[in-house]
């Protein structure tokens, strides 16, 4: 019995088989147990001899089974370690990193500069009423300047905004006569243009508006200079040129010395040395009134710029369509911007 058990225990290859053997020999109805149980039928002389022998066998079996148990446990652990080994020296899987789109990066820079000067960032709807997009900005229905901006109309009264200027009147109205009004509004605008290297039917603008007592042209000029210096560097030269917008009077456009050639003349600035970067002016009294401000007490200035244009200049990009077509070879160049 002992020999048979020893062999079987040695051959056991899994914990389940071993458990069965334990039951078979040492369990309540096991073979050793029944030997011990049968002792009562033996003579008093035989009892101690058989008892000692049976006890010894039981102890040995117990010992073997326990040894086998830890052997199997160890083998199982080793197998598992082998299976789950991680080679920490293997190179990792590189994950592609995204980046901020150059146009968004420029819009964020513009926002940061104006927020640094105390402006709040405002928003307005892209689907706008004819009233806010034109009428309230001093462009009545028959105004020839409406032709300046070919529009996408949805109904006779609704259109995709052609400029962020409608946010001027919306911002004033939401301030309910309180001063100062000091906001910028970045956003998408739409015009019926055929797309080419310098035109896009959808592009972005950043509008600016300040209304307070005693705001003069010099505040406008100072603000724009501070902006241009922070955006393009202090070496840059700039000038204001008289211009015309129905919602500002007087109106100006700001030119900066060409970023590419430094003013000596190149293709980018059409050999003039100057590049226009924004339109601006003193808010027209009629627009102030539409916004709920008394034009006798308050004055203001407004400006509007195109982030695409600023990004084109700043990074020497020659085709506006690059911003919208998501060619990764283009975008990757701006990953660190
Ligand atoms: N809205 C004008 C444009 O789209 C720019 C502008 C804004 C001009 C504010 C003056 C004041 O061309």
């Amino acid at each position: 019995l002992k020999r048979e058990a020893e062999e079987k225990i040695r051959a056991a290859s899994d914990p389940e088989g071993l458990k069965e053997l334990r039951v078979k020999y040492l369990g309540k109805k096991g073979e050793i147990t029944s030997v011990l149980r049968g002792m009562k039928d033996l003579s008093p002389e035989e009892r101690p001899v058989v008892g000692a022998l049976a006890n010894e066998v039981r102890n040995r079996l117990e010992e073997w089974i326990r040894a086998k148990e830890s052997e199997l446990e160890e083998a199982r652990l080793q197998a598992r370690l082998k299976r789950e080994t991680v080679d920490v020296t293997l190179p990792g899987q590189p994950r592609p990193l995204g980046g901020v789109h150059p146009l968004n990066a420029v819009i964020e820079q513009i926002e940061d500069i104006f927020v640094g000067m105390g402006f709040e960032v405002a928003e307005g709807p892209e689907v706008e009423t004819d009233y806010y997009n034109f009428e309230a900005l001093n462009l009545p229905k028959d105004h020839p300047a409406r032709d300046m901006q070919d529009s996408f109309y949805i109904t006779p009264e609704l259109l995709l905004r052609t400029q962020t200027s409608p946010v001027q009147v919306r911002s004033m109205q939401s301030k309910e006569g309180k001063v100062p009004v000091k906001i910028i509004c970045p956003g998408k605008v739409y015009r019926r243009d055929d797309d080419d290297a310098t035109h896009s039917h959808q592009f972005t603008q950043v509008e600016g508006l300040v209304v307070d007592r005693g705001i003069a042209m010099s505040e406008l000029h100072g603000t724009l200079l501070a902006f241009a210096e922070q955006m393009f560097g202090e070496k840059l030269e700039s000038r204001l040129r008289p211009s015309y917008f129905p919602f500002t009077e007087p109106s100006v456009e700001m030119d900066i010395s060409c970023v590419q050639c430094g003013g000596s003349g190149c293709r980018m600035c059409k050999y003039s040395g100057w590049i226009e970067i924004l339109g601006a002016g003193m808010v027209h009294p009629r627009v102030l009134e539409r916004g709920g401000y008394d034009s006798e007490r308050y004055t203001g200035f407004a400006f509007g710029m195109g982030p695409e244009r600023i990004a084109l200049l700043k990074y020497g990009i020659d085709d506006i369509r690059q911003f919208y077509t998501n060619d990764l070879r283009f975008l990757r160049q701006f990953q660190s911007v």
Side-chain angles (χ1 to χ4, degrees):
L1 178 70
K2 183 176 161 194
R3 208 173 302 125
E4 177 204 297
E6 184 181 5
E7 247 156 57
K8 286 203 169 142
I9 292 169
R10 194 165 286 158
S13 59
D14 58 280
E16 288 72 33
L18 200 59
K19 207 172 195 177
E20 271 166 34
L21 290 177
R22 183 190 284 277
V23 173
K24 177 170 155 65
Y25 294 112
L26 304 174
K28 271 201 190 107
K29 289 180 186 152
E31 293 180 23
I32 300 288
T33 320
S34 61
V35 171
L36 287 166
R37 212 170 267 148
M39 297 253 290
K40 61 181 187 303
D41 304 327
L42 296 177
S43 66
E45 296 80 43
E46 287 171 312
R47 250 180 240 172
V49 184
V50 174
L53 190 61
N55 268 328
E56 197 227 274
V57 172
R58 187 182 62 185
N59 290 343
R60 294 303 291 271
L61 289 190
E62 208 129 319
E63 213 175 278
W64 289 334
I65 287 174
R66 231 176 283 131
K68 187 70 183 182
E69 250 170 15
S70 45
E71 188 187 308
L72 287 177
E73 188 55 38
E74 178 67 14
R76 181 177 275 204
L77 181 67
Q78 290 306 332
R80 185 161 157 209
L81 284 176
K82 199 164 172 197
R83 207 172 348 109
E84 296 180 0
T85 302
V86 173
D87 183 350
V88 294
T89 64
L90 283 174
Q93 291 254 0
R95 282 170 180 272
L97 267 187
V100 179
H101 190 282
L103 193 53
N104 287 330
V106 165
I107 292 172
E108 280 171 24
Q109 285 171 36
I110 296 171
E111 286 178 9
D112 284 350
I113 293 170
F114 284 104
V115 166
M117 292 194 271
F119 284 72
E120 284 171 58
V121 179
E123 269 183 41
E126 287 176 32
V127 177
E128 187 53 283
T129 60
D130 183 84
Y131 175 78
Y132 281 109
N133 194 81
F134 291 126
E135 201 88 7
L137 292 170
N138 203 26
L139 284 99
K141 282 253 179 319
D142 55 352
H143 197 289
R146 284 203 184 203
D147 300 337
M148 279 162 53
Q149 298 169 8
D150 252 336
S151 324
F152 289 113
Y153 272 91
I154 296 163
T155 70
E157 290 307 318
L158 276 183
L159 72 160
L160 297 179
R161 66 179 175 194
T162 60
Q163 49 185 355
T164 45
S165 298
V167 180
Q168 289 184 29
V169 176
R170 287 184 176 278
S171 300
M172 282 189 267
Q173 287 179 345
S174 71
K175 278 275 183 178
E176 297 176 326
K178 289 193 283 291
V179 285
V181 179
K182 206 171 171 188
I183 58 105
I184 57 163
C185 170
K188 294 194 191 90
V189 300
Y190 303 82
R191 290 184 195 177
R192 273 175 55 169
D193 272 324
D194 290 328
D195 293 356
D196 61 27
T198 55
H199 295 85
S200 171
H201 64 283
Q202 179 206 289
F203 58 103
T204 63
Q205 284 191 334
V206 178
E207 192 80 8
L209 173 71
V210 172
V211 179
D212 205 342
R213 276 177 184 274
I215 297 290
M217 193 86 186
S218 52
E219 270 87 29
L220 170 60
H221 197 184
T223 303
L224 295 181
L225 278 180
F227 163 73
E229 277 178 11
Q230 288 180 67
M231 196 73 205
F232 294 101
E234 294 191 4
K235 286 203 316 270
L236 136 151
E237 288 192 65
S238 68
R239 68 181 186 189
L240 294 184
R241 255 184 310 104
S243 183
Y244 172 76
F245 300 102
F247 34 90
T248 48
E249 179 61 33
S251 301
V252 292
E253 281 174 301
M254 187 186 211
D255 295 338
I256 60 170
S257 51
C258 179
V259 189
Q260 291 304 307
C261 62
S264 57
C266 67
R267 243 184 48 214
M268 189 140 216
C269 56
K270 302 209 180 83
Y271 302 97
S272 70
W274 294 102
I275 283 194
E276 180 215 317
I277 60 162
L278 54 82
M282 302 308 291
V283 182
H284 195 290
R286 248 178 250 160
V287 177
L288 283 172
E289 300 287 346
R290 291 280 163 83
Y293 285 78
D294 180 351
S295 60
E296 298 286 319
R297 291 176 70 191
Y298 300 112
T299 50
F301 66 74
F303 56 84
M305 63 180 81
E308 277 86 348
R309 206 174 160 75
I310 289 174
L312 291 172
L313 296 176
K314 202 168 157 144
Y315 301 120
I317 300 162
D318 60 8
D319 191 329
I320 194 173
R321 290 168 292 195
Q322 293 279 20
F323 292 126
Y324 315 118
T325 44
N326 289 326
D327 185 334
L328 286 176
R329 292 166 300 181
F330 169 75
L331 295 176
R332 283 206 181 101
Q333 298 175 61
F334 301 94
Q335 249 178 356
S336 60
V337 168

